[in-house]
Amino acid sequence: RPVFKTNVTEFAPLRTVTPQVSLSIIRELTNLFTNPNNDLALDPSFEDTNDPSVNHEYINELEQNSCVKAAYGRMFMYDIPTMPNDSQKKIDLFSYEKRQFDWSKEYLQAGSIERVQTEINTGLIVYEPQNTIKVGDTVTLYIEGKPQEIEIVGMLSTSPFNNEAGVGTIICSEDTFHRVTGQNDYTIIDIQLEDHTTDAEVNALHRTYGEGY
C-alpha cells in the first residue's frame, strides 16, 4: 500500500465509538493465556443453537425453494459418557448427511466413509493426540443410562468442531444418530443460497421459519 507522510502537531479524532469488547476484558487476555501457544477450549454448550428442536422436515421444504442452492442439517449430542458414571471419558456425537460426508473424504486417514453412510451403528473418530480410540474399536456410549455401541470404521484428521480437552469426537450417519439417541430433529440447518438471492427472499425465509433460525 502507498505510504503518505505529513507533518502534524496533533491528531484530531473524526469519530469516537465504544468498543464492543471493553478494555478491562482485553487486559484479561494475558491472564487467560499465560503464553502465546496456549489453547482455550470453547464450550459448545454456549451456542444458542444447541437445542435439538429444528424440524427435520424443513430440509425438504428448503430444497424446494428457488433461492436455496443446498440445505443440510446436523444433530449434536455433547459430553456422552463412555462408561457408567465416568465423567472423565466423554464423547461429542455429531451427525452428517451425504454432502458433509463427501466434504470429509479429503480428511480421511484410515478406514471407510462409505461404511459409515450405509451401516447402522458405525462412526468416524476424529484424530487427537491424546485419543486412544482407533479404527476397529467399538465405543460404548451411555445415553440416559443405556449402553449404545458404535463401531469405529474410519478416522478423520480433523473436523470443524471444537471440543474440550479429553473429549473425543465421533461423526455418524443420521440413521445411526437417531438409533442411538432417539433424536430425529436437527440441532442446526445450514443453507447455501443461490447467487441471485435477494434481501427480500432472505427476509421471507426468516418470516417462514422464525427469527430463531
Side-chain angles (χ1 to χ4, degrees):
R1 283 184 263 176
V3 177
F4 297 95
K5 296 182 178 180
T6 183
N7 296 319
V8 296
T9 57
E10 62 179 331
F11 291 98
L14 299 178
R15 184 176 63 170
T16 301
V17 297
T18 302
Q20 293 184 342
V21 180
S22 68
L23 290 176
S24 62
I25 293 178
I26 293 176
R27 292 191 183 102
E28 282 296 309
L29 289 175
T30 56
N31 297 324
L32 295 173
F33 298 91
T34 56
N35 68 68
N37 296 320
N38 273 5
D39 290 329
L40 184 64
L42 300 178
D43 185 349
S45 65
F46 292 158
E47 298 179 14
D48 59 3
T49 56
N50 279 344
D51 182 22
S53 60
V54 184
N55 193 323
H56 68 280
E57 294 181 357
Y58 287 168
I59 289 288
N60 294 330
E61 297 176 10
L62 288 166
E63 289 180 337
Q64 301 303 314
N65 192 305
S66 61
C67 70
V68 175
K69 183 177 182 179
Y72 42 92
R74 285 187 299 280
M75 294 175 277
F76 306 167
M77 183 171 282
Y78 296 114
D79 293 333
I80 306 172
T82 58
M83 294 178 64
N85 304 318
D86 188 347
S87 60
Q88 300 303 313
K89 298 181 180 179
K90 294 182 178 180
I91 291 291
D92 290 342
L93 185 66
F94 300 88
S95 74
Y96 270 8
E97 45 72 68
K98 184 181 183 306
R99 290 186 187 90
Q100 294 166 90
F101 277 124
D102 287 343
W103 295 333
S104 66
K105 287 179 179 178
E106 63 178 297
Y107 304 109
L108 183 67
Q109 286 189 328
S112 169
I113 288 179
E114 286 71 20
R115 285 190 61 189
V116 182
Q117 294 179 270
T118 58
E119 298 180 19
I120 299 296
N121 286 72
T122 59
L124 303 170
I125 188 72
V126 177
Y127 171 79
E128 294 179 10
Q130 72 276 16
N131 179 40
T132 59
I133 301 173
K134 58 185 182 299
V135 177
D137 289 348
T138 296
V139 178
T140 302
L141 306 178
Y142 286 84
I143 300 174
E144 297 183 352
K146 298 179 180 180
Q148 303 287 347
E149 292 187 344
I150 291 184
E151 180 187 357
I152 303 302
V153 298
M155 177 178 288
L156 300 179
S157 60
T158 187
S159 78
F161 311 113
N162 292 320
N163 55 0
E164 295 182 356
V167 178
T169 300
I170 292 179
I171 297 170
C172 65
S173 68
E174 294 183 355
D175 288 340
T176 292
F177 194 99
H178 175 66
R179 174 75 66 87
V180 301
T181 69
Q183 294 181 10
N184 197 37
D185 286 336
Y186 292 116
T187 307
I188 190 170
I189 291 178
D190 291 334
I191 301 174
Q192 292 180 343
L193 298 176
E194 297 285 359
D195 294 338
H196 58 71
T197 303
T198 65
D199 289 343
E201 289 171 319
V202 173
N203 291 332
L205 287 174
H206 277 290
R207 289 193 299 271
T208 301
Y209 298 101
E211 293 296 329
Y213 301 118

